Amino acid sequence: DVVMTQSPLSLPVTLGQPASISCRSSQSLVHGDGNTYLNWFQQRPGQSPRRLIYKVSNRDSGVPDRFSGSGSGTDFTLKISRVEAEDVGVYYCMQGIHWPWTFGQGTKVEIK
Amino acid sequence: QVHLVESGGGMVQPGGSLRLSCAASGFTFNTYAMHWVRQAPGKGLEWVAFTRYDGSNKYYADSVKGRFTISRDNSKNTLYLQMNSLRAEDTAVYYCAKDASHSLDYWGQGTLVTVSS
């Protein structure tokens, strides 16, 4: 199985400051069609997961532009340019190219 | 808008069975693949199962293979997860999620399954 490794697992951030989460995959996530299928999800406390980013860097409708995704191959990053209170929660990366699909362990973002 | 509503969760003894349902609306159900994903209490997300839009192709996590069966009834816009030989480690919130070409774009609110004697 493809192992998705996130770091850090806990991320205390000051409001208004940037935050960055790393996700590394044990195999390339580049599909034969040329796309890279790496997704980012946000799970706020007590809520279902919500997709933020797909295909590395494409933001979902309604996702604030302070969220951005980048990376290639096996190394990916989710950045929040200025953390707001509503960003508290757990963030997961997920690969959708190799069966079984796999998630990272999750990164808990909290306000300092 | 897309709406996914899971049901069927509850408490069951080890070795028992349960069938989860996911009622879908707001999109053309019979043209989309669907998934089940679970989350044990206080833990991360684990992908469980996939079915193609027509049910012709299915994949499972090794942890549930041979015990769980994913199926769908396109005439009822409903996804199912039949869970047999349940174990304590199957205790989790089970989410259904809509496929979006190598991604999951919509999730339900989840249904809790507790396996305990």
Side-chain angles (χ1 to χ4, degrees), chain A residues 54-94:
Chain A
Y54 60 97
K55 285 194 287 187
V56 181
S57 59
N58 293 271
R59 253 191 325 272
D60 269 276
S61 173
V63 174
D65 61 7
R66 63 179 181 274
F67 288 93
S68 64
S70 63
S72 63
T74 62
D75 202 347
F76 307 94
T77 302
L78 176 69
K79 291 182 178 175
I80 310 174
S81 59
R82 293 172 307 279
V83 172
E84 297 190 5
E86 66 177 18
D87 301 335
V88 165
V90 182
Y91 293 77
Y92 297 92
C93 60
M94 185 203 81

Side-chain angles (χ1 to χ4, degrees), chain B residues 33 38 64 71 77-78 80 83:
Chain B
R38 69 183 180 182
V64 307
S71 63
N77 287 354
T78 302
Y80 301 101
M83 304 185 296

Side-chain angles (χ1 to χ4, degrees), chain A residues 4-65:
Chain A
M4 306 295 287
T5 303
Q6 289 182 230
S7 63
L9 299 185
S10 178
L11 185 54
V13 187
T14 300
L15 285 173
Q17 293 301 300
S20 180
I21 300 170
S22 169
C23 175
R24 290 195 166 97
S25 59
S26 61
Q27 296 180 33
S28 172
L29 302 186
V30 180
H31 194 271
D33 63 9
N35 290 307
T36 301
Y37 292 108
L38 185 281
N39 306 274
W40 288 98
F41 298 89
Q42 175 195 61
Q43 188 174 32
R44 290 171 170 152
Q47 294 187 13
S48 301
R50 163 203 183 194
R51 193 178 68 175
L52 296 177
I53 303 278
Y54 60 97
K55 285 194 287 187
V56 181
S57 59
N58 293 271
R59 253 191 325 272
D60 269 276
S61 173
V63 174
D65 61 7

